[in-house]
């Protein structure tokens, strides 16, 4: 009797474990199609990260092109302003690192601040600049595989089994994974370009995340006009003045 109890209990546990795995996998995939303006916690203890430039020259194992249905929210600079917790004007100095967080490749860049249009920054942040995080970037294949849930085997109706690709140690260390938002819009990281950036933030200092992917960056021309990636033209914005 005890043996049967353990037997049935083990079977139920296996079923529940399978359900949890499948649910987690589907939930991770579904996030690719959702835009979130909620602040993301930047994990300071992430060990598997790729410093900017270390993937240069590496062969690309595969490219991830993510899509989010946020065009309506990004159509108006005023809607973006309302959704953002912090809106600032500044210039990019450098990309610090790329890493994998919750299955997504993200990149941290450093910005020097020219003007704060919404929200507040600490004096030290105004003086030294801030680190901002956005989706997209490049990491080594090894970093990516170590920080993501791998696809399970797929079985077709005819019984054919498709196993996920297996990579050698050399491939994992010499190849990279590239993540690109489908809409690159006007994500201009030229050090000479002044941009308006729309951010969410966490309570911790230097923890800012760009909302609406690449649409959270708006280049500013020498007339003080702000680029609209939907109309592909510059426009005057009444909450911003270059002077």
């Amino acid at each position: 009797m005890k043996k049967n109890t353990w037997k049935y209990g083990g079977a139920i546990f296996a079923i529940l474990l399978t359900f949890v795995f499948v649910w987690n996998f589907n939930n991770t995939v579904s996030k690719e199609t959702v835009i979130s303006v909620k602040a993301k916690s930047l994990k300071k203890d992430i060990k598997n990260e790729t410093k900017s430039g270390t993937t240069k020259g590496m062969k690309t194992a595969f490219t991830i092109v993510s899509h989010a249905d946020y065009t309506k929210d990004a159509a108006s600079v005023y809607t973006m302003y309302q959704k953002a917790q912090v809106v600032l004007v500044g210039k990019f100095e450098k990309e610090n690192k790329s890493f994998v967080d919750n299955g997504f490749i993200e990149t941290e860049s450093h910005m020097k601040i020219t003007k704060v249009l919404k929200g507040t920054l600490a004096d030290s942040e105004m003086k030294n600049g801030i680190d901002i995080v956005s989706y997209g970037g490049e990491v080594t294949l090894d970093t990516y595989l170590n920080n993501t849930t791998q696809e399970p085997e797929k079985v077709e109706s005819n019984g054919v089994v498709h196993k996920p690709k297996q990579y050698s140690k050399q491939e994992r260390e010499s190849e990279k994974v590239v993540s690109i938002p489908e809409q690159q819009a006007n994500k201009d990281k030229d050090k000479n370009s002044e941009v308006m950036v729309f951010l969410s933030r966490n309570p911790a200092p230097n923890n800012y995340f760009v909302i609406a992917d690449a649409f959270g960056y708006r280049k500013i021309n020498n007339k003080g006009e702000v680029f609209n990636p939907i109309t592909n033209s510059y426009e005057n914005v009444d909450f911003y003045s270059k002077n």
Side-chain angles (χ1 to χ4, degrees):
M1 184 69 178
K2 287 185 177 180
K3 288 184 178 180
N4 288 336
T5 301
W6 281 104
K7 181 179 179 181
Y8 294 136
I12 293 172
F13 177 78
I15 292 172
L16 289 173
L17 190 62
T18 302
F19 172 79
V20 170
F21 174 81
V22 172
W23 184 88
N24 281 333
F25 175 75
N26 290 335
N27 191 43
T28 299
V29 173
S30 67
K31 288 179 182 177
E32 290 287 352
T33 61
V34 178
I35 178 177
S36 174
V37 297
K38 185 177 180 180
K40 293 176 63 67
S41 297
L42 179 59
K43 293 179 174 59
K44 300 299 183 183
D45 60 344
I46 293 179
K47 295 180 180 178
N48 290 306
E49 59 188 32
T50 301
K51 296 298 181 183
S52 179
T54 58
T55 57
K56 187 176 182 180
M58 281 188 172
K59 177 183 175 182
T60 301
F62 54 88
T63 300
I64 303 169
V65 180
S66 59
H67 171 74
D69 185 14
Y70 50 68
T71 306
K72 186 177 293 185
D73 286 339
S76 168
V77 67
Y78 297 101
T79 302
M80 292 288 291
Y81 183 88
Q82 292 173 351
K83 287 181 174 292
Q85 293 175 295
V86 176
V87 182
L88 56 84
V89 174
K91 292 183 178 181
F92 286 102
E93 282 199 322
K94 62 179 180 178
E95 287 189 352
N96 297 333
K97 60 189 176 184
S98 293
F99 54 91
V100 181
D101 184 14
N102 292 321
F104 295 95
I105 298 178
E106 300 171 7
T107 297
E108 178 189 273
S109 304
H110 190 74
M111 282 196 72
K112 293 293 287 185
I113 312 304
T114 305
K115 184 182 295 187
V116 178
L117 303 177
K118 181 180 179 180
T120 57
L121 296 182
D123 291 341
S124 59
E125 293 176 319
M126 288 296 298
K127 178 181 178 181
N128 302 319
I130 62 173
D131 295 328
I132 65 175
V133 182
S134 60
Y135 288 115
E138 299 179 1
V139 296
T140 62
L141 176 59
D142 190 57
T143 295
Y144 183 79
L145 295 178
N146 285 336
N147 290 276
T148 53
T149 302
Q150 302 307 299
E151 288 190 36
E153 293 183 355
K154 295 180 181 178
V155 182
E156 295 183 0
S157 57
N158 59 5
V160 176
V161 178
H162 295 277
K163 295 184 178 181
K165 179 176 172 57
Q166 298 298 311
Y167 295 92
S168 67
K169 183 175 184 295
Q170 182 180 358
E171 288 175 321
R172 292 173 69 112
E173 294 176 352
S174 64
E175 297 184 10
K176 64 183 178 181
V177 179
V178 180
S179 176
I180 307 171
E182 184 180 42
Q183 299 287 349
Q184 283 296 316
N186 191 53
K187 187 176 179 181
D188 193 338
K189 289 190 175 180
D190 182 348
K191 293 180 181 179
N192 296 318
S193 299
E194 195 166 55
V195 292
M196 182 179 295
V197 184
F198 300 83
L199 304 166
S200 60
R201 72 167 300 172
N202 286 330
N206 278 357
N207 200 342
Y208 300 89
F209 203 90
V210 180
I211 68 173
D213 291 351
F215 284 91
Y217 302 84
R218 304 290 175 109
K219 188 175 180 179
I220 302 171
N221 64 16
N222 55 12
K223 297 179 182 178
E225 298 170 325
V226 181
F227 186 76
N228 185 331
I230 306 298
T231 62
N232 199 34
S233 62
Y234 286 88
E235 60 188 10
N236 287 309
V237 177
D238 59 17
F239 60 79
Y240 172 72
S241 172
K242 195 168 182 67
N243 297 324

